[in-house]
Amino acid sequence: MTTRWSRKDLLGLRELSADEINLVLDTADAFKQVGTREIKKVPALRGKTLVNFFVEPSTRTRISFELAAVRLSADVINISAATSSLSKGETLKDTAKILEANHEHPTQGLLDTYTIREKKKRIEGLHVAIIGDILFSRVARSNIFALKKLGARVTLVGPSTLLPRDFEKLGVTISYNIDEVLPTADVVNLLRIQHERQRKEYFPGIGEYIKLFGLTKERAKLLKPDCLIMHPGPINRGVEIDSELADGNQSVILDQVTNGLAVRMAVLYLCGGIAA
Ligand code: CP
């Protein structure tokens, strides 16, 4: 059966079916191929304009969306909250509502899922551990929705203050003991502490956090040799993950960045109306 795409937006992955997620990943496969050609551009969105509007600071996502649009031959306009009227106190009610209601990072969830599928050749049956600041993470939510729909087992790990029991409602397992989870994980996805979203202290200190939840070299010995190490970035080296592990042979962190381009090309292409 051919999956049809009829969406003009992608606010989150919660509402996507497994077929729709697979369609994005398969479309991204095709666009990744385009990136290996001498001429890396296709005319798919010629005549269209992409307006990038970023409310929060971003490096990877902003550059990736911009390059994705350029590779699809679209025109691009970038607006950021810091340089727009938002910085003068003007509110964008609808934007705020959308952010609050969805609180997801859908393209990050898709590119993480794509990277896992590329490396492991499947998602179904894998055990994925998402470790760190879950409460304030948009990445965690989008990963949970995509991975669960494609049949993975997801365990969330973090300090109890940053990992409320409520997350169990999403069909995941919750653990406050990283050492018990690492030995059975096929993938570990480390998340940074999102201080910018926190209005109080959620744990005693960075040293305590590293001791209890950091992926240190000693702790990494618990991992299976083929366990993938992921991080959406930006990385706080030496906090949620040891710097050498972030650059080591189990790390697919740079693949995530590369795959982000193909996945965002796929999302823009599908939502741009060409395939609808
Ligand atoms: N992973 C991610 O969203 O990174 P940026 O904040 O740099 O966009």
Side-chain angles (χ1 to χ4, degrees), residues 31-96:
F31 283 124
K32 194 162 178 184
Q33 280 300 315
V34 171
T36 63
R37 294 184 199 158
E38 198 178 326
I39 298 182
K40 302 180 195 314
K41 276 178 93 157
V42 290
L45 294 188
R46 186 182 288 154
K48 304 233 172 196
T49 302
L50 172 74
V51 180
N52 275 323
F53 178 69
F54 279 80
V55 176
E56 295 185 357
S58 165
T59 304
R60 273 149 291 266
T61 312
R62 185 178 50 77
I63 291 170
S64 182
F65 262 118
E66 192 170 340
L67 187 54
V70 167
R71 292 242 172 127
L72 292 167
S73 304
D75 297 315
V76 185
I77 293 171
N78 290 313
I79 308 170
S80 73
T83 54
S84 75
S85 297
L86 269 184
S87 65
K88 293 188 242 166
E90 184 181 318
T91 57
L92 265 181
K93 237 185 196 172
D94 290 342
T95 308

Side-chain angles (χ1 to χ4, degrees), residues 176-228:
Y176 302 114
N177 186 334
I178 187 172
D179 296 330
E180 283 179 7
V181 176
L182 294 184
T184 60
D186 298 298
V187 178
V188 290
N189 198 349
L190 286 309
L191 304 177
R192 73 184 172 88
I193 305 295
Q194 308 216 61
H195 293 288
E196 73 277 16
R197 297 199 173 128
Q198 300 175 4
R199 292 201 170 78
K200 59 172 187 166
E201 293 301 323
Y202 281 81
F203 50 90
I206 293 295
E208 185 75 3
Y209 182 84
I210 297 169
K211 201 167 121 197
L212 291 174
F213 296 102
L215 188 63
T216 59
K217 273 192 275 206
E218 191 55 33
R219 196 163 259 148
K221 291 177 188 162
L222 295 170
L223 293 172
K224 294 194 239 181
D226 63 347
C227 177
L228 304 179

Side-chain angles (χ1 to χ4, degrees), residues 130-134 156-160 162-163 175-177 209 213:
I130 303 174
I131 302 163
D133 175 359
I134 309 293
L156 306 179
V157 184
S160 56
L162 294 171
L163 179 49
S175 173
Y176 302 114
N177 186 334
Y209 182 84
F213 296 102

